[in-house]
Amino acid sequence: MKLKYLLPIAFIALFFSCSTDNDDDAIVNETEGLELIQTIFNNNQTIELYNEKGMFETGYNLVSLRIKDNTTDSYIEDAILSWMPMMQMPTMEHSSPKSTISKALGKDTVYEGFIIYQMTNTDASGWSLTLNYTIDGTDYSVTETISVFQYENQNTSTFMGSDGTNYILALIEPKDPSIAVNEMKVGLFKMENMMTFPVVEDYTIALDPRMPGMGNHTSPNNTDLTYNNADNFYYADLSLTMTGYWKLNLKLMNANDDVLKGEDVTDENEASSLYLELEF
Ligand SMILES: [Cu+2]
């Protein structure tokens, strides 16, 4: 066929493909780079949970959510959401540190928040997630069993301070460490009770990264973790001079500089009792 016949056909095809009333392409883009963790069905809604790996693991989990209205097959853009993770243990149940849920930056259908699972069972069992949400003034709630897998390194630590308070510390950054001065980011929470884990503000966490496999050497230009009241996390410079296994020895101090947990690393003491691990 000659070009002058082909072109109108091409234009007609283009016209019809653009004019079809179909939002699927735009919706797919909103979860680009994310993997589906789980789908939860609740009457007329389907809730989709996503993160980068497509699975929950112990430690800090950034979670993306979408709610689909099954009657219209479209995603809800103006829902109000909250959640409650729960771990059922032999003698009691408890929740975990978590954020509020808000609309993800620049997205129409994706909501976002974090959950820090401080523990799990070896077969990933024990946890459930309750989602409460409001659409057009109507409240909904659903509870579903979830799987939380044990992360390979200690990326979170639960401990009792010398003040008798239980704390949860979780490594958030660096996610992809490199031989450089990395930005280190951690979350620090206290266990007020089994259900409530508020952020701990204005403490200091001394940082001493070491390579136990290589004479316990450290690295230059590290800084201690200090609180940032803009996002409620703690930040430091973490200097990693080579690849391998690093033990991030820590020492938690309250606002009065009282040591709540952890010890200095010395010739006689090769590690702090408070630490996180990193391997790259
Ligand atoms: Cu537990």
Side-chain angles (χ1 to χ4, degrees):
M1 221 186 286
K2 283 184 177 163
L3 190 63
K4 65 175 177 179
Y5 299 119
L6 268 174
L7 272 177
I9 293 167
F11 277 120
I12 288 162
L14 197 65
F15 176 77
F16 278 102
S17 64
C18 290
S19 64
T20 24
D21 190 28
N22 194 334
D23 289 334
D24 280 355
D25 292 342
I27 286 163
V28 167
N29 287 339
E30 292 227 305
T31 54
E32 201 179 306
L34 296 172
E35 300 283 339
L36 184 68
I37 303 166
Q38 193 167 341
T39 304
I40 299 172
F41 300 98
N42 189 36
N43 299 314
N44 285 334
Q45 291 96 33
T46 304
I47 300 136
E48 300 164 355
L49 306 173
Y50 295 86
N51 66 8
E52 270 184 4
K53 275 194 174 176
M55 63 194 277
F56 289 127
E57 288 177 303
T58 48
Y60 173 89
N61 289 253
L62 183 63
V63 186
S64 298
L65 309 94
R66 291 198 300 185
I67 305 175
K68 190 156 118 185
D69 182 339
N70 297 333
T71 58
T72 62
D73 208 30
S74 61
Y75 288 97
I76 309 291
E77 300 189 6
D78 53 1
I80 301 161
L81 292 106
S82 66
W83 51 12
M84 185 58 80
M86 284 297 286
M87 188 186 194
Q88 190 66 50
M89 301 196 56
T91 55
M92 53 95 165
E93 56 177 13
H94 64 85
S95 186
S96 70
K98 62 181 180 3
S99 69
T100 55
I101 304 175
S102 52
K103 188 66 80 69
L105 204 64
K107 302 276 177 79
D108 291 325
T109 64
V110 180
Y111 302 81
E112 207 173 61
F114 70 79
I115 300 174
I116 293 166
Y117 301 109
Q118 64 271 47
M119 61 194 305
T120 193
N121 290 323
T122 45
D123 63 355
S125 72
W127 287 92
S128 67
L129 184 63
T130 298
L131 287 162
N132 301 306
Y133 54 99
T134 307
I135 302 169
D136 295 332
T138 305
D139 296 334
Y140 302 91
S141 184
V142 62
T143 300
E144 190 68 75
T145 300
I146 55 170
S147 294
V148 177
F149 295 88
Q150 184 68 49
Y151 187 73
E152 61 232 43
N153 290 324
Q154 180 161 310
N155 60 0
T156 181
S157 175
T158 305
F159 59 92
M160 184 184 278
S162 58
D163 56 356
T165 301
N166 281 307
Y167 293 93
I168 295 173
L169 184 71
L171 184 64
I172 301 168
E173 300 279 357
K175 258 191 314 186
D176 300 302
S178 60
I179 299 174
V181 175
N182 296 260
E183 183 181 70
M184 183 176 173
K185 176 181 175 182
V186 306
L188 178 65
F189 305 84
K190 72 173 174 190
M191 189 173 182
E192 203 167 271
N193 54 51
M194 293 295 178
M195 301 299 291
T196 316
F197 299 79
V199 167
V200 177
E201 299 179 12
D202 297 325
Y203 284 19
T204 306
I205 310 165
L207 169 65
D208 188 357
R210 300 275 176 154
M211 289 196 95
M214 299 195 69
N216 219 28
H217 75 76
T218 181
S219 58
N221 305 321
N222 294 288
T223 63
D224 292 341
L225 288 146
T226 54
Y227 183 68
N228 180 339
N229 60 16
D231 65 1
N232 301 334
F233 294 115
Y234 287 77
Y235 289 89
D237 288 341
L238 168 63
S239 168
L240 302 172
T241 48
M242 55 194 301
T243 58
Y245 170 79
W246 288 83
K247 190 173 234 180
L248 312 178
N249 295 283
L250 305 169
K251 206 171 71 175
L252 178 65
M253 273 96 58
N254 65 15
N256 299 327
D257 259 354
D258 304 322
V259 177
L260 301 180
K261 180 73 177 178
E263 305 80 27
D264 288 328
V265 179
T266 62
D267 289 343
E268 293 75 41
N269 183 47
E270 67 175 24
S272 172
S273 59
L274 178 63
Y275 66 92
L276 297 167
E277 296 174 315
L278 204 68
E279 199 164 6
F280 74 107

